């Protein structure tokens, strides 16, 4: 595959300024309504013909996908057994945190690597997609050659989500939201495959960049939650880092997924795409998937805001991992209720004394405080 072809022709065009929310809604709705009126032949037959004429993916690429998915599985298994688990045990994490830590460590390593590569492509090469989003559709052609560096990014991401489907079902401990995670991985893999086959790889690269950064912050925060208590002691530095990570995660979620994503990506796909390619394939279907992704981002952001508000108002004492294992939450509530019934009345005074002596009480256990 050739790298950076047609980039020079892109750079001579004038950069279109990013719109505001009002401009996005007004122009996108006008263009989409007009496109819908003009699509008199839309239907199943047209979709089938468009699929056969414009979808390009080879057996070699499919083989590489499966090979790399197996490779990620083996790399994760090796790192878990040889590095992550021994390190968690050496640090004397609590048993439930020892079980969770390898998964978060693996995801932190992967997403840091993949996001760094996307950042390199968007900011340290000749691609102008971030600063000039409409350029993702300049010189688009059906079946065009995918540049090697972007094809590598797609292979990394696509095979990772293929691995993640297997890992969620067979490697990770089953949690309350594991079914939702499997569905999420399937939808993400479908989006990656679809955008690659129809040569929407430029916009796909931008979408990956805008979403992966939050996974880095999420796993970093979770690791610090696990490391707050280890060896029977409490470490303040990890509590501070987990709180900082939680706030940073909330801010970047809004900035990347709810500001840049709609104003850069959706404007390009809804408006600029038809300006550059009047008969672009699967215009409505592709935008429907991206609008669904935006709705999911808004939905989860409401939970993030509510979570941060509880932490800041003292309704929740510190950040904790909310993805409990199946049945673990109910067991914890039952244990807490039993402990409350057995607690002597004078225990509150003992808690105050422990704090005065530089100790920390967590889950009813007194631990030494460390920085």
């Amino acid at each position: 595959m050739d790298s950076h072809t047609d980039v020079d022709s892109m750079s001579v065009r004038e950069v279109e300024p990013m719109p505001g929310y009002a401009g996005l809604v007004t122009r996108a709705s006008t263009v989409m309504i007009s496109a819908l009126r003009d699509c008199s032949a839309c239907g199943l037959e047209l979709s089938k013909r468009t699929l056969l004429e414009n979808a390009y993916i080879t057996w070699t690429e499919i083989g590489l996908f499966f090979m790399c998915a197996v490779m990620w599985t083996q790399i994760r298994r090796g790192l878990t057994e040889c590095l992550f688990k021994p390190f968690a045990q050496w640090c004397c994490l609590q048993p439930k945190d020892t079980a969770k830590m390898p998964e978060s460590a693996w995801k932190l390593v992967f997403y840091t690597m993949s996001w760094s590569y996307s950042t390199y492509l968007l900011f340290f090469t000749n691609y102008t997609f971030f600063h000039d989003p409409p350029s993702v559709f300049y010189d688009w052609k059906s079946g065009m050659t995918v540049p090697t560096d972007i094809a590598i990014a797609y292979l990394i991401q696509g095979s990772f989500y293929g691995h993640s489907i297997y890992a969620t079902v067979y490697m990770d401990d089953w949690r309350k939201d594991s079914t939702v995670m499997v569905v999420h991985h399937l939808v993400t893999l479908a989006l990656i495959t679809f955008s690659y086959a129809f040569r929407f790889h430029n916009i796909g690269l931008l979408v990956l960049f805008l979403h992966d950064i939050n996974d880095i912050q999420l796993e970093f925060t979770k690791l610090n939650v696990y490391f707050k208590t280890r060896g029977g002691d409490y470490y303040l530095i990890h509590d501070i880092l987990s709180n900082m990570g939680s706030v940073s995660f909330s801010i970047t979620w809004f900035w990347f997924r709810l500001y840049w994503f709609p104003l850069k990506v959706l404007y390009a796909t809804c408006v600029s795409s038809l300006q550059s390619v009047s008969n672009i394939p699967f215009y409505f279907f592709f935008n429907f998937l991206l609008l669904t992704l935006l709705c999911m981002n808004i939905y989860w952001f409401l939970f993030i805001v509510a979570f941060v508000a509880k932490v800041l108002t003292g309704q929740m004492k510190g950040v904790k991992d909310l993805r409990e294992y199946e049945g673990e939450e109910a067991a914890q509530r039952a244990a807490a209720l039993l402990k409350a019934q057995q607690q002597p009345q004078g225990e509150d005074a003992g808690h105050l004394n422990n704090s005065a002596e530089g100790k920390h009480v967590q889950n009813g256990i007194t631990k030494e405080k460390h920085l």
Side-chain angles (χ1 to χ4, degrees), residues 18-19 46 48 51 61 180 251 267 274 286 292 339 352 370:
M18 189 174 72
L46 178 62
K48 188 186 300 183
L51 178 66
E61 291 166 335
V180 178
I251 294 171
Y267 185 82
L274 287 179
F286 188 48
T292 301
K339 188 170 185 66
L352 293 176
H370 296 275

Side-chain angles (χ1 to χ4, degrees), residues 2-50:
D2 298 327
S3 180
H4 304 298
T5 56
D6 298 325
V7 172
D8 292 336
S9 62
M10 293 180 187
S11 59
V12 299
R13 295 182 173 94
E14 184 180 351
V15 176
E16 186 175 347
M18 189 174 72
Y21 288 114
L24 168 67
V25 173
T26 302
R27 296 209 52 193
S29 58
T30 301
V31 170
M32 294 187 81
I33 291 172
S34 176
L36 187 61
R37 288 172 178 168
D38 294 340
C39 190
S40 57
C42 289
L44 186 59
E45 284 301 318
L46 178 62
S47 299
K48 188 186 300 183
R49 187 168 66 251
T50 304

Side-chain angles (χ1 to χ4, degrees), residues 32-327:
M32 294 187 81
I33 291 172
S34 176
L36 187 61
R37 288 172 178 168
D38 294 340
C39 190
S40 57
C42 289
L44 186 59
E45 284 301 318
L46 178 62
S47 299
K48 188 186 300 183
R49 187 168 66 251
T50 304
L51 178 66
L52 294 174
E53 291 175 354
N54 295 280
Y56 292 88
I57 193 163
T58 66
W59 285 108
T60 300
E61 291 166 335
I62 294 173
L64 283 172
F65 161 79
F66 282 105
M67 186 174 69
C68 289
V70 173
M71 179 191 72
W72 291 128
T73 303
Q74 295 304 318
I75 291 175
R76 174 181 172 177
R77 185 172 285 122
L79 287 174
T80 296
E81 296 300 325
C82 299
L83 179 60
F84 299 146
K85 274 188 179 180
F87 184 68
Q89 293 166 355
W90 181 76
C91 291
C92 300
L93 298 185
Q94 297 182 76
K96 65 186 180 82
D97 294 336
T98 299
K100 295 178 181 180
M101 179 269 188
E103 179 187 347
S104 290
W106 161 247
K107 289 180 179 178
L108 178 63
V109 169
F110 175 82
Y111 284 119
T112 300
M113 176 194 69
S114 63
W115 187 75
S116 297
Y117 185 58
S118 299
T119 302
Y120 163 75
L121 292 178
L122 289 173
F123 295 97
F124 299 95
T125 65
N126 293 326
Y127 295 124
T128 60
F129 310 142
F130 181 82
H131 301 292
D132 184 21
S135 67
V136 297
F137 292 107
Y138 292 168
D139 303 314
W140 179 91
K141 295 180 180 64
S142 178
M144 62 189 294
T145 300
V146 180
T148 302
D149 45 13
I150 296 182
I152 290 172
Y154 261 77
L155 179 60
I156 290 171
Q157 292 277 358
S159 60
F160 176 77
Y161 280 101
H163 147 78
S164 295
I165 295 169
Y166 171 85
T168 303
V169 177
Y170 296 105
M171 297 178 71
D172 299 338
D173 290 286
W174 197 256
R175 298 185 175 100
K176 293 187 298 182
D177 65 346
S178 291
T179 301
V180 178
M181 291 302 296
V182 171
V183 174
H184 169 269
H185 296 333
L186 287 168
V187 171
T188 303
L189 183 58
L191 276 168
I192 291 172
T193 305
F194 174 85
S195 61
Y196 183 85
F198 285 90
R199 299 309 189 246
F200 299 149
H201 47 272
N202 295 340
I203 196 70
L205 177 65
L206 191 54
V207 172
L208 292 171
F209 166 78
L210 293 175
H211 284 74
D212 279 357
I213 187 173
N214 296 122
D215 292 298
I216 297 173
Q217 294 171 312
L218 175 63
E219 302 306 334
F220 172 81
T221 301
K222 287 164 65 176
L223 284 172
N224 278 283
V225 170
Y226 303 151
F227 278 86
K228 280 195 298 187
T229 303
R230 58 184 199 271
D233 296 336
Y234 166 79
Y235 290 82
L236 180 60
I237 183 63
H238 293 294
D239 198 6
I240 294 173
L241 288 173
S242 64
N243 284 309
M244 290 175 60
S246 179
V247 173
S248 173
F249 171 75
S250 306
I251 294 171
T252 55
W253 185 285
F254 172 81
W255 195 258
F256 279 71
R257 298 193 181 203
L258 301 184
Y259 180 66
W260 275 340
F261 176 67
L263 299 186
K264 287 182 178 290
V265 172
L266 289 179
Y267 185 82
T269 59
C270 292
V271 179
S272 304
S273 60
L274 287 179
Q275 293 175 345
S276 299
V277 187
S278 59
N279 60 340
I280 192 165
F282 286 98
Y283 169 81
F284 293 106
F285 177 68
F286 188 48
N287 281 294
F288 171 76
L289 292 178
L290 292 174
L291 286 168
T292 301
L293 184 57
L294 176 63
C295 290
M296 292 172 63
N297 290 338
I298 295 172
Y299 174 77
W300 283 111
F301 184 69
L302 297 177
F303 281 95
I304 294 169
V305 170
F307 172 74
V308 173
K310 286 182 179 180
V311 173
L312 295 178
T313 58
Q315 298 179 48
M316 183 181 293
K317 295 183 178 179
V319 180
K320 64 178 182 178
D321 182 14
L322 296 180
R323 294 187 65 221
E324 301 292 353
Y325 295 122
E326 189 88 351

